[in-house]
Amino acid sequence: MPVPELPEPAHHDVDSMLSRKFGKEIANYFSGSPLNRVSFLRTDHAFLTAALKHPSTSFLLFNNLQPLAKDPTQLDYVTYDDVRTIIGDNPYAKSEADLVAEYNSRVTIPQLIFLGLDETQKSDFEWTIYRGSPFFALDVTPKGSITAAAEELIGKMKSRGPHFIEGRMHTSLPAPSAAVYAQARALLDWNSRNPFCGQCGQKTLSTNAGTKRICPPTDMAALAEGSVIGSAIDQKPTDRPSCATRKGVSNLSFPRTDPTVIMAVLSADGERILLGRQKRWPKYWYSTLAGFVEPAESVEEAVRREVWEESGVTLGRVIIHSTQPWPFPANLMIGAIGQCVPGKEEILLKHDPELEDAKWVKLEEVREALEVGTSGLGEEAGPRYKEGGLRLPPQTAIAYQLLAAVTGDFLAAKKGDHANFRSSVVRDAEQELLAGLAQIFYSLEMNHQAHESKPKTALPSHLLNGNHAHSAQHSSPLRRTSVNAREREKLTASIIASNSRRQAIDLETSDGIPDGQSHATGPTLGGHEGDVEVDAAPRDPRDEPSRPPPSTAGRPASPYTQNPPIDFDGLSWPSLGTRERRVATPAQSRERLQKLEGAITTILECIGEDPEREGLRGTPERYAKAMLFFTKGYEENVRDLVNGAVFQEDHDELVIVKDIEVFSLCEHHLVPFTGRVS
């Protein structure tokens, strides 16, 4: 029998903050129903009446909890006309209050359950704002006063070809059908298990379209034998004994769901998985451990307790992976992944004798078994399975999903460390980020090559101001040469005058300031007494200027003339680190890169990451290279950067500056940035 595909989780293709952080939601078999349950309409008998008789309505029949199907992979549905002989014309014709008042325990009421609306099917059924094909489930098991009608309907169905398929789980159905079957079976089973009141022991009545049971205060059964609901309205029913469920707010009973934990257990080194087997299971067949959650117990506590009781192994960190409804009879399997505490891995089966055996299995062996050795209980393994190999549950079981997660990309573990649990979406995002950076580098390189490939003008570069193409269109070569030459002479004169008394920076001294000079006596903004000083102490000793330059002779004092924007080397009085970076040899550049890699590694460790895990091993190097690329402006000559477009403060002619690329660093947040002036 082919294994059905698993359902897709709701809105799986929509990007969200939660998906990016925790990964794609996992939907297990028996979940992913196509029905909108519209549970708030279960008390609306007008709605139920309309849904019951609509031509698009489907009824799924059960006989002793066995569903009607064409074959093990396809359910079969019937219409209202097919079931009318059992349910009557309209079981929702009267209100719940009237049904309770006329309750007769002698009369067998067929168990009918409203499942929901299938909004994926085209249907003209509409109720206010709700649309879709209605689905019901009906128990046609022959019993009580409906025995004859039920047997007749069962025979009629068999004569058409469909049959009530035997078996317990029916895990060969397509995922959507399996979800509908699971809902119907669970509710029918709950109703059949609770025909009597848990408080007083008297018979109960099903209401709310099969999702609630109540203990009626009166009973018409004591009246004339053979009376049916509504036939003795004028007679007084018999009062039933007092029941606590009719007082206060606890006068009803709802379907129960029993939470069960099932867990994949990892060894402390993350290299092995703990598996166990029960005596009744086929030979070589193992699975994950499982157990019920007890009252006043968290899921994580239940996982640790069950693992210790069944295997003697002590768990530390526990996370929840996914859940699976399991309608046999009414469990919710809560899938978890836990990791053993170092030194607490010894298996001890003497606490709880539930398991026949438990053992640690290497990840690689589990991966292989997931490929070739899966099957349901009582089923043969696949054709690739070799006798003696490990056997595991099929894909439709949540145990399979847990094992696939810890042996796949859900988990990143390094020997000797605790396992790091990460979602596949986070890893995909990391790869997308790296791909994005690579695309940025490629684009920048293409732009750089395109810039270099531009035809060069015949004029010397030092004569160019701004965009030479624009200048060529709007001025004659003779005038352009003469104007640029004049500006260049003025700029050179300003630089020489500004630096005529500057002393060279001594990189070997502690601050590079020549003897006999002090920042305390530096010039003020504007050069007048009482103005704000511009020589406040720098934040980094390497940023100390060599000496505040004097004003340019014959020019008004200003921050620009007192501190010219460029130095002779074009680095604007750079710090020691910048000079070292500019003149570094290839060996020194490699050493700088390694030093930066070490710093990034330290950052990752400090924020709680493991730089040695698979996804991060190359990150420090990639980040370091990216940081150096985005800050390469530190080692670029200013005159080269602006293409010679540097002018004196009093320049009063139009200047066009284009295609200036900027690579720098926000010193406040240490965030690199890049851009283009165009």
Side-chain angles (χ1 to χ4, degrees), residues 14-62:
V14 177
D15 182 38
S16 70
M17 175 183 68
L18 293 179
S19 294
R20 291 191 297 271
K21 183 173 179 61
F22 298 106
K24 179 181 176 181
E25 180 181 332
I26 304 298
N28 288 292
Y29 196 68
F30 291 130
S31 68
S33 174
L35 303 184
N36 180 350
R37 301 193 184 196
V38 287
S39 60
F40 44 86
L41 294 177
R42 293 168 181 164
T43 58
D44 189 337
H45 282 210
F47 161 75
L48 293 173
T49 297
L52 184 77
K53 299 182 177 182
H54 196 268
S56 67
T57 300
S58 299
F59 293 81
L60 179 60
L61 306 184
F62 284 79

Side-chain angles (χ1 to χ4, degrees), residues 295-481:
E297 184 178 47
S298 71
V299 171
E300 292 82 359
E301 289 173 321
V303 169
R304 296 187 184 97
R305 175 184 55 78
E306 284 289 342
V307 170
W308 181 82
E309 290 179 354
E310 294 184 3
S311 69
V313 171
T314 301
L315 295 189
R317 181 72 168 96
V318 173
I319 66 169
I320 296 175
H321 173 268
S322 61
T323 59
Q324 179 181 32
W326 195 251
F328 310 107
N331 300 118
L332 177 63
M333 308 295 289
I334 304 173
I337 300 175
Q339 189 167 26
C340 182
V341 173
K344 299 291 185 177
E345 298 178 346
E346 181 181 359
I347 295 176
L348 189 64
L349 301 180
K350 70 178 183 179
H351 301 310
D352 186 341
E354 180 177 346
L355 297 181
E356 178 188 55
D357 184 36
K359 63 180 180 178
W360 291 104
V361 182
K362 290 186 177 296
L363 293 179
E364 188 55 42
E365 184 178 353
V366 175
R367 290 191 188 99
E368 181 181 359
L370 290 173
E371 289 289 332
V372 303
T374 61
S375 67
L377 288 173
E379 298 177 357
E380 296 294 329
R384 297 168 55 195
Y385 172 76
K386 296 181 180 180
E387 184 68 18
L390 179 65
R391 296 183 61 181
L392 295 173
Q395 178 178 292
T396 51
I398 190 174
Y400 177 102
Q401 303 304 323
L402 294 174
L403 294 175
V406 296
T407 58
D409 59 3
F410 187 84
L411 171 67
K414 182 173 75 71
K415 187 174 182 179
D417 292 339
H418 291 289
N420 298 289
F421 299 99
R422 308 173 63 244
S423 72
S424 59
V425 169
V426 172
R427 299 186 67 181
D428 291 344
E430 187 179 62
Q431 295 300 320
E432 291 177 4
L433 175 60
L434 295 178
L437 287 174
Q439 182 63 37
I440 291 174
F441 296 156
Y442 175 78
S443 300
L444 292 173
E445 181 64 23
M446 291 299 100
N447 290 336
H448 180 67
Q449 292 179 7
H451 178 73
E452 288 186 340
S453 63
K454 292 179 180 179
K456 295 186 177 180
T457 176
L459 295 174
S461 60
H462 69 275
L463 295 180
L464 296 179
N465 253 342
N467 190 305
H468 64 274
H470 184 276
S471 300
Q473 296 175 7
H474 298 279
S475 61
S476 68
L478 180 60
R479 182 180 185 280
R480 183 172 65 251
T481 302

Side-chain angles (χ1 to χ4, degrees), residues 150-371:
E151 290 177 344
E152 181 181 354
L153 178 60
I154 292 173
K156 181 180 179 181
M157 293 298 104
K158 290 182 178 180
S159 66
R160 292 181 181 178
H163 60 285
F164 294 91
I165 55 176
E166 299 181 357
R168 177 170 175 261
M169 297 182 184
H170 308 299
T171 55
S172 56
L173 294 169
S177 297
V180 174
Y181 158 75
Q183 178 190 0
R185 187 195 190 283
L187 288 172
L188 289 175
D189 186 73
W190 171 75
N191 276 280
S192 66
R193 288 173 183 264
N194 294 271
F196 300 100
C197 177
Q199 177 67 32
C200 66
Q202 300 177 94
K203 286 187 176 182
T204 55
L205 173 67
S206 176
T207 60
N208 272 29
T211 60
K212 183 179 79 172
R213 298 193 72 88
I214 61 176
C215 183
T218 60
D219 192 349
M220 303 286 287
L223 300 178
E225 184 177 356
S227 62
V228 296
I229 294 178
S231 65
I233 295 179
D234 296 332
Q235 302 181 51
K236 184 178 180 181
T238 303
D239 291 333
R240 304 175 79 185
S242 175
C243 180
T245 63
R246 306 189 200 113
K247 301 176 183 178
V249 295
S250 60
N251 60 341
L252 46 88
S253 174
F254 289 106
R256 64 180 289 171
T257 296
D258 301 320
T260 305
V261 290
I262 180 169
M263 42 276 177
V265 176
L266 281 162
S267 58
D269 61 5
E271 299 291 340
R272 295 163 296 155
I273 299 177
L274 180 64
L275 299 177
R277 59 170 277 108
Q278 297 181 14
K279 187 175 182 179
R280 63 184 180 87
W281 290 352
K283 197 174 183 180
Y284 311 121
W285 208 90
Y286 282 76
S287 184
T288 55
L289 276 58
F292 287 100
V293 179
E294 295 191 347
E297 184 178 47
S298 71
V299 171
E300 292 82 359
E301 289 173 321
V303 169
R304 296 187 184 97
R305 175 184 55 78
E306 284 289 342
V307 170
W308 181 82
E309 290 179 354
E310 294 184 3
S311 69
V313 171
T314 301
L315 295 189
R317 181 72 168 96
V318 173
I319 66 169
I320 296 175
H321 173 268
S322 61
T323 59
Q324 179 181 32
W326 195 251
F328 310 107
N331 300 118
L332 177 63
M333 308 295 289
I334 304 173
I337 300 175
Q339 189 167 26
C340 182
V341 173
K344 299 291 185 177
E345 298 178 346
E346 181 181 359
I347 295 176
L348 189 64
L349 301 180
K350 70 178 183 179
H351 301 310
D352 186 341
E354 180 177 346
L355 297 181
E356 178 188 55
D357 184 36
K359 63 180 180 178
W360 291 104
V361 182
K362 290 186 177 296
L363 293 179
E364 188 55 42
E365 184 178 353
V366 175
R367 290 191 188 99
E368 181 181 359
L370 290 173
E371 289 289 332

